[in-house]
């Protein structure tokens, strides 16, 4: 199994959710191509191939997703928001439990106090989003773009953040117990006061990540994080860090 390279992840930055916009068009193009090949015995004339390509491009352009202006109403009908454009929308206090937000564009969105338990946010763009005090227990945030996100006081117990880009993210006082942060980019992140009991930080980039008063952090793990570039504020406060039974 190939390990995730955090340097590649740190450079991953969805541009206006282009990947999400291309998922369904790609499927349509494949279907059109298959039909064309079946009808022409695998050897289509040039004009047929050209027409099929033009039609596929038209379908792709038509399928571009517009920004969803009233997601709260739509949530009453569906939990499928995969690839949706939800940039800068207000979803504070929203019930997004089990909602599929794969590859969705949530950059700059307000998700403070939202219930995102078991939500699928894989490869989603959450750059600069506000997730303060959000409930993300057991949510899937693997390979998500979380640069500059506010996750202070958020509940991330059991969340999957494998390979996520958390560059300069605010995770102060967050609950990361049993969360998977393997191969995540935590460069410059603020983890002061975060609870990290049984948190998987293996292969994570913790250069310039700030730690202080972290419950569940053993001395062995703390020393390992220091060697990898993490910053621990005020040695006198590190007594909190060795409390592993809380």
């Amino acid at each position: 199994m190939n390990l995730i390279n955090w340097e590649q992840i740190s450079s991953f930055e969805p541009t206006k959710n282009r990947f999400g916009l291309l998922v369904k068009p790609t499927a349509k193009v494949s279907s059109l191509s298959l039909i064309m090949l079946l009808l022409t015995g695998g050897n289509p004339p040039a004009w047929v191939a050209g027409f099929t390509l033009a039609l596929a491009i038209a379908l792709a352009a038509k399928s571009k997703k517009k920004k969803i202006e009233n997601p709260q109403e739509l949530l009453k009908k569906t939990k499928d928001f995969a690839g949706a454009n939800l940039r800068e929308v207000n979803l504070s206090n929203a019930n997004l439990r089990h909602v599929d937000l794969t590859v969705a564009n949530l950059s700059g969105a307000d998700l403070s106090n939202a219930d995102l338990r078991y939500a699928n946010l894989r490869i989603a763009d959450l750059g600069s989003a506000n997730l303060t005090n959000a409930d993300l227990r057991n949510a899937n945030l693997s390979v998500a773009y979380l640069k500059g996100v506010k996750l202070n006081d958020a509940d991330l117990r059991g969340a999957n953040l494998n390979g996520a880009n958390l560059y300069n993210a605010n995770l102060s006082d967050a609950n990361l117990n049993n969360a998977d942060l393997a191969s995540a980019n935590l460069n410059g992140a603020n983890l002061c006061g975060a609870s990290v009991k049984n948190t998987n930080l293996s292969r994570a980039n913790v250069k310039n990540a700030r730690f202080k008063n972290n419950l569940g952090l053993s001395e062995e793990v703390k020393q390992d994080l220091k060697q990898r570039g993490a910053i621990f504020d005020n040695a006198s406060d590190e007594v909190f860090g060795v409390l592993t039974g809380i």
Side-chain angles (χ1 to χ4, degrees):
M1 183 181 291
N2 294 328
L3 300 179
I4 295 171
N5 187 322
W6 72 262
E7 291 181 349
Q8 294 175 335
I9 296 303
S10 64
S11 63
F12 167 72
E13 184 167 355
T15 55
K16 307 303 181 186
N17 210 33
R18 289 176 187 167
F19 178 76
L21 295 174
L22 290 172
V23 172
K24 291 184 179 178
T26 301
K28 292 179 180 178
V29 172
S30 298
S31 299
L32 283 170
S33 300
L34 180 59
I35 293 170
M36 176 188 69
L37 291 172
L38 288 173
L39 291 175
T40 59
N43 188 26
W47 71 268
V48 175
F51 175 76
T52 304
L53 179 60
L55 183 59
I57 292 171
L59 284 171
K62 186 178 178 180
S63 68
K64 271 199 170 184
K65 294 180 181 292
K66 294 181 179 179
K67 180 181 176 182
I68 298 175
E69 299 293 346
N70 195 355
Q72 295 280 19
E73 284 299 313
L74 196 55
L75 276 168
K76 297 175 183 178
K77 303 175 183 178
T78 181
K79 290 193 176 186
D80 182 8
F81 284 80
N85 184 354
L86 295 162
R87 182 173 57 87
E88 298 180 349
V89 297
N90 185 355
L91 285 165
S92 59
N93 299 294
N95 182 358
L96 297 163
R97 197 183 313 175
H98 293 284
V99 171
D100 184 3
L101 289 156
T102 310
V103 204
N105 183 354
L106 288 153
S107 58
D110 185 358
L111 292 154
S112 56
N113 301 294
D115 185 352
L116 286 150
R117 282 176 285 175
Y118 295 97
N120 189 352
L121 290 146
R122 178 173 168 77
I123 323 178
D125 182 354
L126 289 149
S128 301
N130 182 6
L131 286 149
T132 302
N133 204 44
D135 191 344
L136 288 146
R137 280 176 286 173
N138 299 299
N140 185 357
L141 291 142
S142 58
V143 206
Y145 182 74
L146 296 155
K147 181 179 178 180
V149 72
K150 296 177 181 176
L151 280 162
N152 44 302
D153 297 297
D155 192 343
L156 288 148
R157 281 177 288 174
N160 180 2
L161 290 145
N162 194 306
N165 187 347
L166 289 147
Y167 180 82
N168 277 347
N170 185 357
L171 289 153
S172 59
D173 299 311
N175 191 336
L176 290 160
N177 292 347
N178 299 303
D180 184 5
L181 283 153
S183 301
N185 181 14
L186 289 161
N187 191 331
N190 180 2
L191 290 101
C192 294
S195 183
V196 290
K197 184 178 180 181
N198 297 324
T199 302
N200 184 3
L201 290 162
S202 62
R203 304 182 305 280
N205 174 23
V206 293
K207 185 176 180 180
N208 296 321
R210 290 171 50 216
F211 290 83
K212 179 181 179 182
N213 296 348
N214 301 107
L215 298 178
L217 193 62
S218 69
E219 187 65 27
E220 181 182 0
V221 173
K222 182 177 68 176
Q223 293 304 319
D224 177 57
L225 292 173
K226 280 184 175 181
Q227 290 178 3
R228 287 153 60 189
I231 300 169
F232 283 81
D233 296 338
N234 299 332
S236 60
D237 292 326
E238 291 179 6
V239 175
F240 253 60
V242 296
L243 298 177
T244 57
I246 297 178

